[in-house]
C-alpha cells in the first residue's frame, strides 16, 4: 500500500486512529468507507482516511462551544493567548522539515518550495500572535449625557474549510487570525491532501491549547464538509476553494444565515509594458505562472504584451521554460512537481487542446510530461499558448495548471479592458518602469491585489478577491474584522426621562 517515496511508519498520523482531532483527543472517523489519500508523484496510496461522521461533526462543534465558554480559553488574558499562538508557531518551526515533506508528498509541491510554504505557515501564527492583545473597540461621540463605546468580540465557533493546494498555509492564515481574536475553530482539510494538517494537529496538542479550541475533522467536502457548512451552530464559515464549491457553500450557509468569508478562484492577468525591463519581467512571469505547477489561486496566467515586444518576450519565456525541471516532488532538483490527480491533469491538457482547436498555437509544452527516470505521476509540461483570444475557454476559465496564455494589446486601455474581462478578480501583475503608469494601472485593475514589478504575499498584506474570486479579506489588520463582531454599548450618564424626549 505504501508508495516508494514514503515509509508510512515515518508518519504515525497515517494510522487510522489518529485522523480526527475532536475535543483534544484523536479518534477514528466513523463515516463509511475509507478514502485513499494519494501521492501525486506516483499515484500510490500514502494512507487511508476514515472520514468523520455527522455525529462526530456535531461533537466537534459542541466541543468548540464548550471550549469557547470555558474560562481556560474565554478568560485567558489576550497576551497569554498570543503567547500560546507563538508557542505553536515555534513548534511549527521545529517540525518544519516534516511538515514540508508531508506537504510535498501529498500535494506534489516541490520540496524546495514546500519548505518555504511551511515557513510562511508558521509566520502566519507569529504575525497574528502579536495582534491578540490589540483587538480594540472605540469610543463614539453621541450626546453629552450618554457614553457610547464599541467592543470587538470573537464570533464563537468558526469553521475553516481548506483546499488541497497548499493546505497547511491556507489553513494557517485563517486559523491564526481566528485564534488571535479568541474564537474556537473546526478545521476541515481536503480529503485529497491533508497529511500536513493532521501532523499540525499533533503540534496543537503539544502546544497545550485547551481541549476543543481547535478541532480537526477530516472527510470529503460533500459529506463531512457539507455537514459542517450546514451546521446551525457555526458562526462563520471560512471557505477557500473553487468557485463551484464556493457557490454550494454559500447556498448551504444561507439556510442558517451564516456569514461566509470566501477565497475562491483566480485568473490573474500580467501586463508587461513596453518600457519594462524585459529580462526582469520574464523572470517575474515565470514565478507568477509556473510556481507550484500553476496550482495557485493568485497565479498570473494571462500575459498581455504589446506587438513591439511580443515575439522577443515569448522567446525569453521559452528559454526559461526549457530550464524547468519537471519531476518527483521529493527530488531536491525538481522545479515543477505533478498535478494533484490524473483527472486534473486530463482537464488541464483538455484546456490546451480546446485552445488549439480554436486557433491558438503552442509555443512550448502542451502535453503530459513523461519522466525519463522516476515514477509515473501526473506530470504536465510547462506550457505557453500564443494567439489566444478573449473568448477561448483557456482565456476565461481557471485552468489551475502550468499554462500561460499570451494575448496582444494595442493600447494600455485595451490591456486593462481585457485583463478585467473575466469573472475573476483575485490578483493582477504589472511590469513597467513608468511610475505614473504603474499607479494608473493599479487603480484600474479590478481585483483585490495588484503587484507591480514584484511577486510577494505575506501575513501583513490584506488578501482577497473581487467578483467571483470571493468575499472578504484574509491577512493583516483587515482579518481582525472578519473574525470579530462589533458590540455597541450605550450608557446613560444622567437621569432617564420619558420615552419621547431625546
Ligand atoms: P474545492 O472547492 O473542490 O474544495 C475546497 C474545500 O472545500 C475542500 O476541503 C473540499 O473538500 C471542500 N468542499 C467542496 N465542496 C464542498 C461543499 N459542498 N461543502 C463543504 N465543503 C466542500 O477546491 P479545491 O480543493 O479543488 O481547490 C482548488 C481551488 O481553490 C481553485 O479554484 C483555487 O483557485 C482555489 N483557491 C483559492 C484561494 C484563495 O485564497 N482565493 C487559495 C487557494 C485555492 P474535499 O476536497 O475533501 O472534497
Amino acid at each position: 500500500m505504501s508508495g516508494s517515496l514514503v515509509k508510512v511508519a515515518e508518519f504515525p498520523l497515517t494510522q487510522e486512529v489518529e485522523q480526527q482531532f475532536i475535543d483534544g483527543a484523536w479518534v477514528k472517523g466513523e463515516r463509511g468507507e475509507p478514502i485513499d489519500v494519494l501521492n501525486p508523484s506516483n499515484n500510490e496510496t500514502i494512507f487511508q482516511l476514515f472520514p468523520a461522521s455527522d455525529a462526530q461533526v456535531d461533537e466537534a462543534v459542541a466541543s468548540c462551544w464548550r471550549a469557547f465558554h470555558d474560562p481556560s480559553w474565554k478568560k485567558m488574558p489576550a497576551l497569554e493567548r498570543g503567547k500560546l499562538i507563538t508557542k505553536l508557531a515555534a513548534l511549527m518551526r521545529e517540525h518544519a522539515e516534516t511538515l514540508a515533506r508531508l506537504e510535498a508528498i501529498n500535494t506534489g509541491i516541490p520540496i524546495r518550495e514546500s519548505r518555504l510554504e511551511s515557513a510562511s505557515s508558521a509566520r502566519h501564527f507569529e504575525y497574528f500572535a502579536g495582534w491578540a492583545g490589540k483587538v480594540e473597540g472605540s469610543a463614539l461621540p453621541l450626546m453629552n449625557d450618554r457614553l457610547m463605546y464599541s467592543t470587538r468580540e470573537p464570533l464563537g465557533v468558526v469553521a475553516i474549510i481548506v483546499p488541497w493546494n497548499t493546505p497547511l498555509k491556507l489553513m494557517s492564515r485563517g486559523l491564526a487570525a481566528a485564534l488571535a481574536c479568541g474564537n474556537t475553530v473546526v478545521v476541515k482539510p481536503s480529503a485529497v491532501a491533508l497529511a500536513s494538517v493532521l501532523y499540525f494537529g499533533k503540534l496543537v496538542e503539544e502546544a497545550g491549547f485547551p481541549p476543543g479550541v481547535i478541532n480537526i475533522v477530516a472527510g470529503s467536502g460533500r459529506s463531512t464538509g457539507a455537514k459542517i457548512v450546514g451546521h446551525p451552530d457555526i458562526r462563520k464559515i471560512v471557505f477557500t476553494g473553487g468557485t463551484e464549491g464556493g457557490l454550494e457553500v454559500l447556498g448551504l450557509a444561507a439556510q442558517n444565515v451564516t456569514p461566509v468569508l470566501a477565497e475562491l478562484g483566480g485568473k490573474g492577468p500580467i501586463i508587461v509594458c513596453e518600457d519594462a525591463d524585459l529580462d526582469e519581467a520574464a523572470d517575474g512571469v515565470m514565478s507568477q505562472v509556473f510556481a507550484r505547477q500553476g496550482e495557485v489561486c493568485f497565479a498570473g496566467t494571462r500575459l498581455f504584451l504589446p506587438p513591439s515586444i511580443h515575439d522577443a518576450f515569448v522567446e525569453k519565456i521559452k528559454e526559461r521554460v526549457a530550464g524547468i525541471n519537471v519531476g518527483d516532488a521529493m527530488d531536491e532538483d525538481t522545479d515543477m512537481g505533478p498535478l494533484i490527480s490524473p483527472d486534473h491533469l486530463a482537464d488541464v491538457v483538455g484546456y490546451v487542446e480546446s485552445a488549439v482547436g480554436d486557433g491558438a498555437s503552442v509555443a512550448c509544452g502542451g502535453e503530459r510530461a513523461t519522466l525519463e527516470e522516476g515514477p509515473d505521476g501526473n506530470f504536465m509540461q510547462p506550457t505557453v499558448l500564443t494567439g489566444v483570444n478573449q473568448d477561448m475557454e483557456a482565456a476565461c476559465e481557471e485552468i489551475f495548471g502550468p499554462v500561460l496564455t499570451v494575448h496582444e494589446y494595442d493600447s494600455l486601455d485595451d490591456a486593462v479592458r481585457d485583463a478585467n474581462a473575466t469573472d475573476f478578480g483575485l490578483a493582477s501583475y504589472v511590469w513597467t518602469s513608468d511610475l505614473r503608469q504603474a499607479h494608473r494601472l493599479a487603480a484600474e485593475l479590478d481585483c483585490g491585489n495588484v503587484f507591480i514589478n514584484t511577486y510577494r504575499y505575506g501575513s501583513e498584506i490584506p488578501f482577497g478577491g473581487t467578483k467571483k474570486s470571493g468575499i472578504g479579506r484574509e491577512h493583516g489588520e483587515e482579518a481582525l474584522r472578519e473574525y470579530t463582531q462589533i458590540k455597541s454599548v450605550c450608557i446613560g450618564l444622567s437621569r432617564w426621562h420619558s420615552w419621547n424626549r431625546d
Side-chain angles (χ1 to χ4, degrees):
M1 189 173 95
S2 76
S4 55
L5 300 168
V6 192
K7 290 194 185 68
V8 173
E10 280 177 34
F11 306 118
L13 62 92
T14 60
Q15 291 169 17
E16 60 194 47
V17 289
E18 294 183 302
Q19 297 179 348
Q20 313 292 339
F21 187 55
I22 299 173
D23 203 28
W26 289 96
V27 291
K28 180 180 174 181
E30 289 169 353
R31 181 191 296 275
E33 287 300 299
I35 299 169
D36 284 341
V37 180
L38 304 179
N39 171 356
S41 287
N42 58 18
N43 288 316
E44 290 183 15
T45 301
I46 310 169
F47 64 97
Q48 288 194 307
L49 167 66
F50 290 79
S53 65
D54 285 359
Q56 288 178 308
V57 169
D58 286 338
E59 172 49 19
V61 175
S63 142
C64 264
W65 275 117
R66 284 194 299 274
F68 182 74
H69 291 299
D70 193 278
S72 65
W73 182 247
K74 196 172 187 111
K75 303 282 183 205
M76 183 185 285
L79 279 175
E80 293 304 314
R81 209 162 63 227
K83 281 188 203 164
L84 194 51
I85 298 171
T86 302
K87 187 172 174 194
L88 179 57
L91 284 166
M92 290 174 79
R93 295 276 183 194
E94 200 182 302
H95 292 255
E97 181 63 17
T98 305
L99 290 167
R101 284 168 59 80
L102 289 172
E103 198 78 316
I105 289 163
N106 199 178
T107 67
I109 297 173
I111 183 67
R112 281 183 290 125
E113 269 191 87
S114 180
R115 288 191 184 108
L116 302 175
E117 298 301 336
S118 125
S120 64
S121 304
R123 202 168 174 282
H124 281 310
F125 288 94
E126 288 159 357
Y127 171 80
F128 279 107
W131 275 115
K134 305 180 188 73
V135 181
E136 295 172 349
S138 53
L140 306 167
L142 189 61
M143 283 166 190
N144 288 339
D145 62 347
R146 276 165 230 178
L147 169 66
M148 186 166 153
Y149 61 87
S150 67
T151 54
R152 280 203 169 270
E153 299 186 337
L155 302 167
V157 178
V158 173
I160 299 185
I161 314 274
V162 186
W164 49 257
N165 70 316
T166 342
L168 185 69
K169 185 177 75 179
L170 296 172
M171 173 204 67
S172 296
R173 64 180 184 186
L175 180 57
L179 294 173
C181 294
N183 299 286
T184 56
V185 183
V186 177
V187 173
K188 206 287 291 173
S190 167
V192 176
L194 70 166
S196 61
V197 172
L198 296 185
Y199 191 86
F200 167 84
K202 298 275 173 198
L203 306 182
V204 169
E205 214 178 353
E206 197 177 331
F209 279 82
V213 169
I214 302 169
N215 290 270
I216 301 174
V217 179
S220 79
R222 286 183 177 79
S223 53
T224 307
K227 170 70 182 168
I228 294 171
V229 169
H231 203 292
D233 296 334
I234 300 275
R235 290 291 168 85
K236 182 150 193 169
I237 293 151
V238 178
F239 175 83
T240 304
T243 299
E244 195 185 328
L247 288 171
E248 287 173 19
V249 165
L250 283 163
L252 261 176
Q255 309 295 318
N256 294 310
V257 200
T258 310
V260 178
L261 166 55
E263 295 284 5
L264 308 178
K267 191 73 185 165
I270 309 172
I271 299 177
V272 178
C273 300
E274 235 165 357
D275 55 55
D277 175 328
L278 298 189
D279 282 309
E280 185 193 11
D283 289 341
V285 169
M286 293 299 292
S287 37
Q288 285 155 4
V289 64
F290 295 124
R292 288 185 267 135
Q293 50 280 351
E295 291 174 330
V296 177
C297 55
F298 52 79
T301 55
R302 294 179 294 141
L303 175 62
F304 291 88
L305 299 172
S308 57
I309 62 167
H310 179 280
D311 293 355
F313 198 83
V314 171
E315 277 311 308
K316 285 182 191 297
I317 297 291
K318 282 170 64 178
E319 281 162 19
R320 285 161 173 77
V321 166
I324 293 181
N325 207 352
V326 178
D328 189 318
M330 286 303 286
D331 188 331
E332 295 284 344
D333 293 329
T334 292
D335 300 310
M336 235 178 68
L339 297 182
I340 192 70
S341 66
D343 283 353
H344 186 48
L345 172 62
D347 287 348
V348 174
V349 172
Y351 274 111
V352 174
E353 288 170 352
S354 139
V356 171
D358 290 340
S361 305
V362 177
C364 56
E367 294 175 9
R368 180 186 175 151
T370 313
L371 306 188
E372 281 173 23
E373 287 175 28
D376 184 23
N378 316 313
F379 301 104
M380 170 83 191
Q381 297 172 338
T383 298
V384 179
L385 296 174
T386 54
V388 178
N389 60 43
Q390 287 295 108
D391 42 14
M392 293 178 187
E393 270 180 2
C396 313
E397 294 178 16
E398 185 183 42
I399 299 176
F400 221 52
V403 179
L404 180 68
T405 61
V406 185
H407 311 246
E408 279 195 34
Y409 68 82
D410 290 328
S411 69
L412 273 175
D413 286 342
D414 290 348
V416 170
R417 182 200 59 215
D418 291 348
N420 287 339
T422 70
D423 285 343
F424 300 101
L426 200 51
S428 303
Y429 305 86
V430 175
W431 293 90
T432 180
S433 300
D434 180 331
L435 187 64
R436 288 183 182 154
Q437 202 154 264
H439 288 295
R440 176 166 85 82
L441 292 174
E444 290 179 3
L445 286 162
D446 184 356
C447 59
N449 291 73
V450 179
F451 294 90
I452 315 266
N453 299 339
T454 192
Y455 176 70
R456 174 84 173 90
Y457 289 83
S459 317
E460 301 84 352
I461 306 170
F463 179 79
T466 63
K467 298 187 275 183
K468 288 190 179 163
S469 285
I471 305 167
R473 294 291 179 270
E474 293 273 26
H475 300 183
E477 193 176 355
E478 271 309 305
L480 305 183
R481 286 186 253 283
E482 300 284 353
Y483 292 97
T484 55
Q485 59 201 337
I486 285 274
K487 178 175 280 175
S488 301
V489 180
C490 190
I491 302 179
L493 299 178
S494 58
R495 189 184 183 287
W496 174 250
H497 297 289
S498 67
W499 63 273
N500 60 352
R501 291 186 49 189
D502 282 339

